[in-house]
Coordinates of all heavy atoms in Angstrom, one line a residue:
H318 N 1.8 -49.6 2.3 CA 1.3 -50.9 2.7 C -0.3 -50.9 2.7 O -0.9 -51.8 2.2 CB 1.8 -51.3 4.1 CG 1.3 -52.7 4.6 ND1 0.2 -52.8 5.4 CD2 1.8 -53.9 4.4 CE1 0.0 -54.1 5.6 NE2 0.9 -54.8 5.0
D319 N -0.8 -49.8 3.3 CA -2.3 -49.7 3.4 C -2.9 -49.1 2.2 O -4.2 -49.1 2.1 CB -2.6 -48.8 4.6 CG -2.2 -49.5 5.9 OD1 -1.9 -50.7 5.9 OD2 -2.1 -48.7 6.9
K320 N -2.1 -48.6 1.2 CA -2.7 -48.1 0.0 C -3.7 -46.9 0.3 O -4.8 -46.9 -0.3 CB -3.4 -49.1 -0.9 CG -2.5 -50.3 -1.2 CD -1.3 -50.0 -2.0 CE -0.5 -51.2 -2.4 NZ 0.7 -50.9 -3.2
R321 N -3.2 -46.0 1.1 CA -4.1 -44.8 1.4 C -3.2 -43.6 1.5 O -2.1 -43.6 1.8 CB -4.8 -45.1 2.7 CG -3.9 -45.3 3.9 CD -4.7 -45.5 5.2 NE -3.8 -45.8 6.3 CZ -3.2 -44.9 7.0 NH1 -3.3 -43.6 6.7 NH2 -2.4 -45.2 8.0
E322 N -3.9 -42.4 1.3 CA -3.2 -41.2 1.4 C -3.3 -40.7 2.9 O -4.3 -40.9 3.6 CB -3.8 -40.1 0.5 CG -3.0 -38.8 0.5 CD -3.3 -37.9 -0.6 OE1 -4.2 -38.3 -1.5 OE2 -2.7 -36.8 -0.8
I323 N -2.2 -40.1 3.4 CA -2.1 -39.6 4.7 C -2.4 -38.1 4.7 O -1.7 -37.4 4.0 CB -0.7 -39.9 5.3 CG1 -0.4 -41.4 5.3 CG2 -0.6 -39.3 6.7 CD1 1.0 -41.8 5.7
Y324 N -3.4 -37.7 5.5 CA -3.8 -36.3 5.5 C -2.7 -35.5 6.3 O -2.3 -35.8 7.4 CB -5.1 -36.2 6.2 CG -5.5 -34.8 6.6 CD1 -5.5 -33.7 5.7 CD2 -5.8 -34.5 7.9 CE1 -5.8 -32.4 6.2 CE2 -6.2 -33.3 8.4 CZ -6.1 -32.2 7.5 OH -6.5 -31.0 7.9
L325 N -2.2 -34.4 5.7 CA -1.3 -33.5 6.3 C -1.9 -32.1 6.4 O -2.4 -31.5 5.5 CB 0.0 -33.3 5.4 CG 0.8 -34.6 5.1 CD1 2.0 -34.3 4.2 CD2 1.2 -35.3 6.4
E326 N -1.9 -31.5 7.6 CA -2.4 -30.2 7.9 C -1.6 -29.2 7.0 O -0.4 -29.3 6.9 CB -2.3 -29.8 9.3 CG -3.3 -30.5 10.3 CD -3.1 -30.0 11.7 OE1 -2.1 -29.3 12.0 OE2 -4.0 -30.2 12.5
A327 N -2.3 -28.2 6.5 CA -1.6 -27.0 5.9 C -0.6 -27.5 4.9 O 0.5 -26.9 4.8 CB -1.0 -26.1 7.0
S328 N -1.0 -28.4 4.1 CA 0.0 -29.0 3.1 C -0.1 -28.3 1.7 O 0.6 -28.6 0.8 CB -0.2 -30.5 2.9 OG -1.5 -30.8 2.5
E329 N -1.1 -27.4 1.5 CA -1.2 -26.6 0.3 C -0.2 -25.4 0.5 O -0.4 -24.6 1.3 CB -2.6 -26.1 0.1 CG -3.6 -27.3 -0.2 CD -5.0 -26.8 -0.5 OE1 -5.3 -25.6 -0.2 OE2 -5.8 -27.6 -0.9
L330 N 0.8 -25.4 -0.4 CA 2.0 -24.5 -0.1 C 2.2 -23.5 -1.2 O 3.3 -23.0 -1.3 CB 3.2 -25.4 0.0 CG 3.1 -26.6 1.0 CD1 4.2 -27.5 0.9 CD2 3.0 -26.0 2.4
G331 N 1.2 -23.1 -1.9 CA 1.3 -22.0 -2.9 C 2.3 -22.4 -4.0 O 2.1 -23.5 -4.6
L332 N 3.2 -21.6 -4.3 CA 4.1 -21.8 -5.4 C 5.4 -22.5 -4.9 O 6.5 -22.3 -5.6 CB 4.4 -20.5 -6.2 CG 3.2 -19.8 -6.8 CD1 3.6 -18.6 -7.5 CD2 2.4 -20.7 -7.7
A333 N 5.4 -23.1 -3.8 CA 6.6 -23.8 -3.3 C 7.2 -24.8 -4.2 O 6.4 -25.5 -4.9 CB 6.4 -24.3 -1.9
S334 N 8.5 -25.0 -4.2 CA 9.1 -26.1 -5.0 C 10.3 -26.7 -4.1 O 10.7 -26.1 -3.2 CB 9.7 -25.6 -6.3 OG 10.6 -24.6 -6.1
T335 N 10.8 -27.8 -4.5 CA 11.8 -28.5 -3.8 C 12.9 -29.1 -4.6 O 12.6 -29.4 -5.8 CB 11.2 -29.6 -2.9 OG1 12.2 -30.2 -2.1 CG2 10.6 -30.7 -3.8
Q336 N 14.0 -29.3 -4.1 CA 15.1 -30.0 -4.7 C 15.4 -31.3 -4.0 O 16.1 -32.2 -4.5 CB 16.3 -29.2 -4.8 CG 17.5 -29.8 -5.6 CD 18.7 -28.9 -5.8 OE1 18.5 -27.7 -5.7 NE2 19.8 -29.4 -5.9
E337 N 14.9 -31.4 -2.7 CA 15.3 -32.6 -1.9 C 14.1 -32.9 -1.0 O 13.5 -32.1 -0.4 CB 16.5 -32.3 -1.1 CG 17.0 -33.4 -0.3 CD 18.3 -33.1 0.5 OE1 18.8 -32.0 0.3 OE2 18.8 -33.9 1.2
L338 N 13.9 -34.2 -0.8 CA 12.8 -34.7 0.1 C 13.3 -36.0 0.8 O 13.8 -36.9 0.1 CB 11.6 -35.0 -0.7 CG 10.4 -35.6 0.0 CD1 9.9 -34.7 1.1 CD2 9.3 -36.0 -0.9
T339 N 13.2 -36.0 2.1 CA 13.7 -37.1 2.9 C 12.8 -37.5 4.0 O 12.0 -36.7 4.4 CB 15.1 -36.7 3.5 OG1 16.0 -36.2 2.6 CG2 15.7 -37.9 4.2
I340 N 12.8 -38.7 4.4 CA 11.9 -39.2 5.5 C 12.8 -39.8 6.5 O 13.6 -40.7 6.3 CB 10.9 -40.2 5.0 CG1 10.0 -39.7 3.8 CG2 10.0 -40.7 6.1 CD1 9.0 -40.7 3.3
S341 N 12.7 -39.3 7.7 CA 13.5 -39.7 8.8 C 12.8 -40.7 9.8 O 11.6 -40.9 9.6 CB 14.0 -38.5 9.6 OG 13.1 -38.2 10.6
P342 N 13.5 -41.3 10.7 CA 12.9 -42.3 11.6 C 12.3 -41.8 12.8 O 11.9 -42.6 13.7 CB 14.1 -43.2 11.9 CG 15.3 -42.3 11.9 CD 15.0 -41.3 10.9
T343 N 12.1 -40.5 13.0 CA 11.6 -40.0 14.3 C 10.2 -39.4 14.3 O 9.9 -38.5 15.1 CB 12.6 -39.0 15.0 OG1 12.9 -38.0 14.0 CG2 13.8 -39.7 15.4
D344 N 9.4 -39.8 13.4 CA 8.0 -39.5 13.3 C 7.7 -38.0 13.2 O 6.8 -37.4 13.8 CB 7.3 -40.0 14.6 CG 7.3 -41.5 14.6 OD1 7.3 -42.1 13.5 OD2 7.2 -42.1 15.7
N345 N 8.5 -37.3 12.4 CA 8.2 -35.9 12.0 C 8.3 -35.7 10.5 O 9.1 -36.4 9.8 CB 9.2 -35.0 12.7 CG 9.0 -34.8 14.2 OD1 8.0 -34.2 14.6 ND2 9.9 -35.4 15.0
I346 N 7.6 -34.7 10.0 CA 7.7 -34.4 8.6 C 8.2 -33.0 8.5 O 7.7 -32.1 9.1 CB 6.2 -34.4 8.0 CG1 5.6 -35.8 8.2 CG2 6.2 -34.1 6.5 CD1 4.2 -35.9 7.8
I347 N 9.3 -32.8 7.7 CA 9.9 -31.5 7.6 C 10.0 -31.0 6.2 O 10.5 -31.7 5.3 CB 11.4 -31.6 8.2 CG1 11.3 -32.1 9.6 CG2 12.0 -30.2 8.2 CD1 12.6 -32.4 10.2
L348 N 9.6 -29.8 6.0 CA 9.6 -29.2 4.6 C 10.4 -27.9 4.7 O 10.2 -27.0 5.5 CB 8.2 -28.9 4.2 CG 8.1 -27.9 3.0 CD1 8.6 -28.5 1.7 CD2 6.6 -27.5 2.9
L349 N 11.4 -27.7 3.8 CA 12.1 -26.5 3.6 C 11.8 -25.9 2.2 O 12.1 -26.6 1.2 CB 13.6 -26.7 3.8 CG 14.5 -25.5 3.5 CD1 14.2 -24.4 4.5 CD2 16.0 -25.8 3.6
T350 N 11.3 -24.7 2.2 CA 11.0 -24.1 0.9 C 12.1 -23.2 0.4 O 13.0 -22.9 1.2 CB 9.7 -23.2 1.0 OG1 10.0 -22.1 1.7 CG2 8.6 -24.0 1.6
K351 N 12.1 -22.9 -0.9 CA 13.2 -22.0 -1.4 C 13.2 -20.6 -0.7 O 14.2 -20.0 -0.7 CB 13.0 -21.8 -2.9 CG 13.4 -23.0 -3.7 CD 13.4 -22.8 -5.2 CE 13.9 -24.0 -6.0 NZ 13.8 -23.7 -7.4
G352 N 12.1 -20.2 -0.2 CA 12.1 -19.0 0.5 C 12.6 -19.0 1.9 O 12.7 -18.0 2.6
G353 N 13.1 -20.2 2.4 CA 13.6 -20.3 3.7 C 12.6 -20.6 4.8 O 12.9 -20.3 6.0
T354 N 11.5 -21.2 4.5 CA 10.5 -21.5 5.5 C 10.6 -23.0 5.8 O 10.5 -23.8 4.9 CB 9.1 -21.1 5.1 OG1 9.0 -19.7 4.9 CG2 8.1 -21.5 6.2
L355 N 10.8 -23.3 7.0 CA 10.9 -24.7 7.5 C 9.7 -25.1 8.3 O 9.4 -24.4 9.3 CB 12.2 -24.9 8.3 CG 12.6 -26.3 8.7 CD1 13.2 -27.0 7.4 CD2 13.7 -26.3 9.8
L356 N 9.0 -26.1 7.8 CA 7.8 -26.6 8.5 C 7.9 -28.0 9.0 O 8.5 -28.8 8.3 CB 6.5 -26.5 7.6 CG 6.3 -25.1 7.0 CD1 6.8 -25.0 5.6 CD2 4.8 -24.8 7.0
V357 N 7.4 -28.3 10.2 CA 7.6 -29.6 10.8 C 6.2 -30.2 11.1 O 5.4 -29.6 11.9 CB 8.5 -29.6 12.1 CG1 8.6 -31.0 12.6 CG2 9.8 -29.0 11.8
W358 N 5.9 -31.4 10.5 CA 4.7 -32.1 10.9 C 5.1 -33.3 11.7 O 6.2 -33.9 11.5 CB 4.0 -32.6 9.6 CG 3.3 -31.5 8.8 CD1 2.0 -31.2 8.8 CD2 3.9 -30.8 7.7 NE1 1.7 -30.2 7.9 CE2 2.9 -29.9 7.2 CE3 5.2 -30.7 7.2 CZ2 3.1 -29.0 6.2 CZ3 5.4 -29.8 6.2 CH2 4.4 -29.0 5.6
D359 N 4.2 -33.9 12.5 CA 4.4 -35.1 13.1 C 3.8 -36.2 12.3 O 3.3 -36.0 11.2 CB 3.9 -35.2 14.6 CG 2.4 -35.0 14.7 OD1 1.7 -35.2 13.7 OD2 1.9 -34.6 15.7
A360 N 3.9 -37.5 12.7 CA 3.5 -38.6 11.9 C 2.0 -38.7 11.7 O 1.5 -39.3 10.8 CB 4.0 -39.9 12.5
T361 N 1.2 -38.0 12.5 CA -0.2 -37.9 12.4 C -0.6 -36.9 11.3 O -1.8 -36.8 11.0 CB -0.9 -37.6 13.7 OG1 -0.6 -36.3 14.1 CG2 -0.4 -38.6 14.8
G362 N 0.3 -36.1 10.9 CA 0.0 -35.0 9.9 C -0.2 -33.7 10.6 O -0.5 -32.7 9.9
H363 N -0.1 -33.6 11.9 CA -0.2 -32.3 12.6 C 1.0 -31.4 12.4 O 2.1 -31.8 12.5 CB -0.4 -32.5 14.1 CG -0.4 -31.3 14.9 ND1 -1.4 -30.3 14.8 CD2 0.5 -30.8 15.9 CE1 -1.1 -29.3 15.6 NE2 0.0 -29.6 16.3
L364 N 0.8 -30.1 12.0 CA 1.8 -29.2 11.8 C 2.3 -28.7 13.2 O 1.5 -28.1 14.0 CB 1.3 -28.0 11.0 CG 2.4 -26.9 10.7 CD1 3.5 -27.4 9.9 CD2 1.7 -25.7 10.1
K365 N 3.5 -29.0 13.6 CA 4.0 -28.8 15.0 C 5.0 -27.7 15.1 O 5.3 -27.3 16.2 CB 4.5 -30.1 15.6 CG 5.6 -30.7 14.8 CD 6.1 -32.0 15.5 CE 6.8 -31.8 16.8 NZ 7.4 -33.0 17.4
G366 N 5.6 -27.2 14.0 CA 6.7 -26.2 14.2 C 7.0 -25.5 12.9 O 6.9 -26.1 11.8
I367 N 7.3 -24.2 13.0 CA 7.6 -23.4 11.8 C 8.9 -22.6 12.1 O 9.0 -22.0 13.2 CB 6.5 -22.5 11.4 CG1 5.2 -23.3 11.1 CG2 6.9 -21.6 10.2 CD1 4.0 -22.4 10.8
L368 N 9.8 -22.5 11.2 CA 11.0 -21.7 11.3 C 11.1 -20.9 10.0 O 11.1 -21.5 8.9 CB 12.2 -22.6 11.5 CG 13.6 -21.8 11.4 CD1 13.7 -20.9 12.6 CD2 14.7 -22.8 11.4
R369 N 11.2 -19.6 10.1 CA 11.4 -18.7 8.9 C 12.7 -18.1 8.9 O 13.0 -17.3 9.8 CB 10.2 -17.7 8.8 CG 8.8 -18.3 8.6 CD 7.8 -17.3 8.6 NE 6.5 -17.9 8.3 CZ 5.6 -18.3 9.3 NH1 6.0 -18.2 10.5 NH2 4.5 -18.8 9.0
D370 N 13.5 -18.3 7.9 CA 14.8 -17.7 7.8 C 15.3 -17.8 6.4 O 15.6 -18.8 5.8 CB 15.9 -18.5 8.7 CG 17.2 -17.8 8.7 OD1 17.5 -16.9 7.9 OD2 18.0 -18.2 9.6
P371 N 15.2 -16.6 5.7 CA 15.5 -16.6 4.2 C 17.0 -17.0 3.9 O 17.3 -17.3 2.8 CB 15.2 -15.1 3.8 CG 15.3 -14.4 5.1 CD 14.9 -15.3 6.2
D372 N 17.8 -17.0 4.9 CA 19.3 -17.4 4.7 C 19.5 -18.9 4.7 O 20.5 -19.3 4.3 CB 20.1 -16.8 5.8 CG 20.2 -15.2 5.7 OD1 20.1 -14.7 4.6 OD2 20.4 -14.6 6.7
I373 N 18.5 -19.6 5.1 CA 18.6 -21.1 5.1 C 18.5 -21.6 3.6 O 17.4 -21.4 3.0 CB 17.6 -21.8 6.0 CG1 17.8 -21.4 7.4 CG2 17.7 -23.3 5.9 CD1 16.8 -21.9 8.4
K374 N 19.5 -22.3 3.1 CA 19.4 -22.8 1.8 C 19.5 -24.4 1.7 O 19.4 -25.0 0.7 CB 20.5 -22.2 0.9 CG 20.5 -20.7 0.8 CD 19.2 -20.2 0.2 CE 19.2 -18.7 0.2 NZ 17.9 -18.2 -0.3
G375 N 19.9 -25.0 2.9 CA 20.0 -26.4 2.9 C 19.9 -26.9 4.3 O 20.0 -26.1 5.3
F376 N 19.7 -28.2 4.5 CA 19.6 -28.8 5.9 C 20.1 -30.2 5.8 O 20.1 -30.9 4.8 CB 18.2 -28.7 6.4 CG 17.2 -29.6 5.8 CD1 17.0 -30.9 6.2 CD2 16.5 -29.2 4.7 CE1 16.1 -31.8 5.6 CE2 15.5 -30.0 4.1 CZ 15.4 -31.3 4.5
L377 N 20.4 -30.7 7.0 CA 20.8 -32.1 7.3 C 20.0 -32.6 8.5 O 19.7 -31.8 9.4 CB 22.3 -32.3 7.5 CG 23.3 -31.8 6.5 CD1 24.7 -31.8 7.0 CD2 23.1 -32.6 5.2
L378 N 19.7 -33.9 8.5 CA 19.1 -34.5 9.7 C 20.1 -35.5 10.2 O 20.6 -36.3 9.5 CB 17.8 -35.1 9.3 CG 17.0 -35.6 10.5 CD1 16.4 -34.5 11.3 CD2 15.9 -36.6 10.1
T379 N 20.3 -35.5 11.5 CA 21.2 -36.5 12.1 C 20.5 -37.9 12.0 O 19.2 -37.9 12.1 CB 21.5 -36.2 13.6 OG1 20.3 -36.0 14.3 CG2 22.3 -34.9 13.7
P380 N 21.2 -39.0 11.9 CA 20.6 -40.3 11.8 C 19.6 -40.7 12.8 O 18.7 -41.5 12.6 CB 21.8 -41.2 11.7 CG 23.0 -40.4 11.2 CD 22.7 -39.0 11.8
D381 N 19.8 -40.1 14.1 CA 18.9 -40.5 15.1 C 17.6 -39.6 15.1 O 16.7 -39.8 15.9 CB 19.5 -40.3 16.5 CG 20.0 -38.9 16.8 OD1 19.8 -38.0 16.0 OD2 20.7 -38.7 17.8
G382 N 17.6 -38.7 14.1 CA 16.4 -37.8 14.0 C 16.2 -36.8 15.0 O 15.2 -36.1 15.1
R383 N 17.3 -36.5 15.8 CA 17.1 -35.6 16.9 C 17.4 -34.1 16.5 O 16.7 -33.2 16.8 CB 18.1 -36.0 18.1 CG 18.1 -35.0 19.3 CD 16.8 -35.0 20.0 NE 16.7 -34.0 21.0 CZ 17.0 -34.2 22.3 NH1 17.4 -35.4 22.6 NH2 16.8 -33.3 23.2
Y384 N 18.5 -34.0 15.7 CA 18.9 -32.6 15.4 C 18.8 -32.4 13.9 O 19.1 -33.2 13.1 CB 20.4 -32.4 15.8 CG 20.6 -32.3 17.3 CD1 21.2 -33.4 17.9 CD2 20.2 -31.2 18.0 CE1 21.4 -33.4 19.3 CE2 20.4 -31.2 19.4 CZ 21.0 -32.3 20.0 OH 21.2 -32.3 21.4
L385 N 18.3 -31.2 13.6 CA 18.3 -30.7 12.2 C 19.3 -29.6 12.1 O 19.4 -28.6 12.8 CB 16.9 -30.1 11.9 CG 16.7 -29.6 10.5 CD1 16.5 -30.7 9.5 CD2 15.4 -28.7 10.5
L386 N 20.2 -29.8 11.1 CA 21.3 -28.8 10.9 C 20.9 -28.0 9.7 O 20.7 -28.5 8.6 CB 22.6 -29.5 10.7 CG 23.1 -30.5 11.7 CD1 24.4 -31.1 11.4 CD2 23.1 -29.9 13.1
T387 N 20.9 -26.7 9.8 CA 20.6 -25.8 8.7 C 21.8 -24.9 8.3 O 22.6 -24.6 9.2 CB 19.4 -24.8 9.0 OG1 19.8 -24.0 10.2 CG2 18.2 -25.6 9.4
Y388 N 21.9 -24.6 7.1 CA 23.1 -23.8 6.6 C 22.7 -23.0 5.3 O 21.6 -23.3 4.7 CB 24.3 -24.7 6.3 CG 24.1 -25.7 5.2 CD1 24.5 -25.5 3.9 CD2 23.6 -27.0 5.5 CE1 24.3 -26.4 2.9 CE2 23.4 -27.9 4.5 CZ 23.8 -27.6 3.3 OH 23.6 -28.6 2.3
G389 N 23.5 -22.1 5.0 CA 23.2 -21.2 3.8 C 24.3 -21.4 2.8 O 25.2 -22.2 2.9

Side-chain angles (χ1 to χ4, degrees):
H318 182 267
D319 296 344
K320 305 295 184 184
R321 60 179 175 83
E322 187 163 2
I323 301 170
Y324 163 56
L325 303 178
E326 285 183 349
S328 59
E329 293 181 349
L330 305 170
L332 301 180
S334 62
T335 185
Q336 186 178 335
E337 183 176 359
L338 176 64
T339 308
I340 304 179
S341 85
T343 51
D344 297 333
N345 288 292
I346 303 171
I347 306 172
L348 164 68
L349 176 64
T350 70
K351 284 186 177 179
T354 299
L355 190 72
L356 303 100
V357 181
W358 290 263
D359 62 23
T361 68
H363 172 65
L364 181 64
K365 58 180 292 189
I367 301 175
L368 170 67
R369 295 180 176 89
D370 186 345
D372 291 330
I373 297 176
K374 303 300 181 184
F376 71 88
L377 302 171
L378 187 72
T379 54
D381 61 4
R383 177 64 185 269
Y384 292 106
L385 181 73
L386 307 181
T387 60
Y388 62 95

